[in-house]
Amino acid sequence: AQKVTQAQTEISVVEKEDVTLDCVYETRDTTYYLFWYKQPPSGELVFLIRRNSFDEQNEISGRYSWNFQKSTSSFNFTITASQVVDSAVYFCALSGTGGGADGLTFGKGTHLIIQP
Amino acid sequence: DVKVTQSSRYLVKRTGEKVFLECVQDMDHENMFWYRQDPGLGLRLIYFSYDVKMKEKGDIPEGYSVSREKKERFSLILESASTNQTSMYLCASSSRASPYGAYEQYFGPGTRLTVT
């Protein structure tokens, strides 16, 4: 069975600080995808990134970066120079060939609060 | 851009009423999903559909049914609404999975349902 753990339930930082959201996953699949989503207070989940298990290169997009380490089954998300607009709940998710048909396994989310 | 729309943002219904939640996607996606989201419980999959007229139970199907008569539309039905079905309901869609796993899901804005 697949599992995604986001151990940090809530993180609060002051604006401009860097913050890292942790994601640890379990899967028996040898190939799989990992995802991050953002859910702002408006409620709609916004897709941020998909990574496949072949590619362990870190990804950077503006102030966002993702660190995938297969050896530790982790896919962590860092926001550099955080801003108030980054306040949201962030979900990590996993898919693979062993999961339910075309489904994703979500973590329970990390509530990120950026204080001005 | 992918667009998933849901018929209502907010809905208030009485116990015992039959409730219909509608979801429409415009990206010709094969897969559609219904989740409910409750504080502390994350996203829980109710039902999904991988083709017209096809449906599969998710993790918490009890008290719900679904209908998919057209590819772009997926309806969630609460046959007899109860107070424990008060929740945020999220619809999502995705392309059919690759050989390596499921692709990202795109979410609608959510329907906050209150059953009194």
Side-chain angles (χ1 to χ4, degrees), chain A residues 73-88:
Chain A
S73 297
S74 66
F75 185 44
N76 297 336
F77 174 28
T78 297
I79 301 175
T80 303
S82 60
Q83 299 177 3
V84 172
V85 293
D86 296 325
S87 297

Side-chain angles (χ1 to χ4, degrees), chain A residues 26-42:
Chain A
E26 297 173 28
T27 181
R28 291 182 182 166
D29 293 330
T30 52
T31 57
Y32 48 89
Y33 290 124
L34 292 158
F35 308 83
W36 275 95
Y37 285 82
K38 174 182 180 180
Q39 187 179 37
S42 59

Side-chain angles (χ1 to χ4, degrees), chain B residues 12-26:
Chain B
V12 179
K13 294 292 181 181
R14 293 193 182 276
T15 302
E17 278 193 80
K18 191 168 185 175
V19 181
F20 292 86
L21 302 182
E22 305 283 338
C23 175
V24 177
Q25 52 95 3
D26 67 358

Side-chain angles (χ1 to χ4, degrees), chain B residues 82-102:
Chain B
S82 63
T83 54
N84 63 12
Q85 292 178 311
T86 292
S87 186
M88 169 72 97
Y89 289 88
L90 294 164
C91 175
S93 70
S94 72
S95 302
R96 199 172 300 286
S98 80
Y100 309 114

Side-chain angles (χ1 to χ4, degrees), chain A residues 6-87:
Chain A
Q6 295 180 254
Q8 303 150 311
T9 306
E10 184 173 289
I11 300 174
S12 181
V13 300
V14 177
E15 202 172 17
K16 296 193 176 68
E17 285 185 23
D18 299 346
V19 58
T20 295
L21 310 181
D22 297 333
C23 174
V24 173
Y25 62 92
E26 297 173 28
T27 181
R28 291 182 182 166
D29 293 330
T30 52
T31 57
Y32 48 89
Y33 290 124
L34 292 158
F35 308 83
W36 275 95
Y37 285 82
K38 174 182 180 180
Q39 187 179 37
S42 59
E44 183 171 345
L45 269 85
V46 177
F47 164 66
L48 295 178
I49 189 171
R50 163 171 38 103
R51 300 294 285 173
N52 69 49
S53 52
F54 311 154
D55 184 1
E56 290 193 64
Q57 275 193 319
N58 289 339
E59 175 104 6
I60 298 174
S61 176
R63 296 183 297 106
Y64 293 174
S65 62
W66 291 269
N67 179 261
F68 174 33
Q69 294 202 337
K70 211 166 181 177
S71 59
T72 57
S73 297
S74 66
F75 185 44
N76 297 336
F77 174 28
T78 297
I79 301 175
T80 303
S82 60
Q83 299 177 3
V84 172
V85 293
D86 296 325
S87 297

Side-chain angles (χ1 to χ4, degrees), chain B:
Chain B
D1 278 353
V2 177
K3 192 127 178 99
V4 180
T5 57
Q6 295 183 229
S7 49
S8 307
R9 290 301 302 270
Y10 300 93
L11 209 52
V12 179
K13 294 292 181 181
R14 293 193 182 276
T15 302
E17 278 193 80
K18 191 168 185 175
V19 181
F20 292 86
L21 302 182
E22 305 283 338
C23 175
V24 177
Q25 52 95 3
D26 67 358
M27 284 304 292
D28 202 34
H29 283 164
E30 291 82 5
N31 303 321
M32 296 189 75
F33 306 82
W34 275 106
Y35 294 88
R36 66 178 280 176
Q37 184 178 19
D38 301 287
L41 298 178
L43 278 76
R44 293 183 291 168
L45 182 65
I46 305 171
Y47 267 97
F48 65 94
S49 167
Y50 52 89
D51 204 347
V52 175
K53 297 195 187 296
M54 306 303 290
K55 61 185 179 185
E56 293 283 344
K57 291 180 180 178
D59 301 318
I60 51 162
E62 297 78 19
Y64 303 94
S65 62
V66 290
S67 172
R68 194 165 180 202
E69 296 296 320
K70 292 185 178 181
K71 189 176 185 180
E72 68 271 18
R73 189 179 296 270
F74 192 35
S75 303
L76 179 69
I77 302 153
L78 286 66
E79 296 290 342
S80 177
S82 63
T83 54
N84 63 12
Q85 292 178 311
T86 292
S87 186
M88 169 72 97
Y89 289 88
L90 294 164
C91 175
S93 70
S94 72
S95 302
R96 199 172 300 286
S98 80
Y100 309 114
Y103 288 122
E104 58 274 13
Q105 295 176 13
Y106 292 90
F107 285 81
T111 295
R112 190 166 291 284
L113 173 68
T114 302
V115 182
T116 61

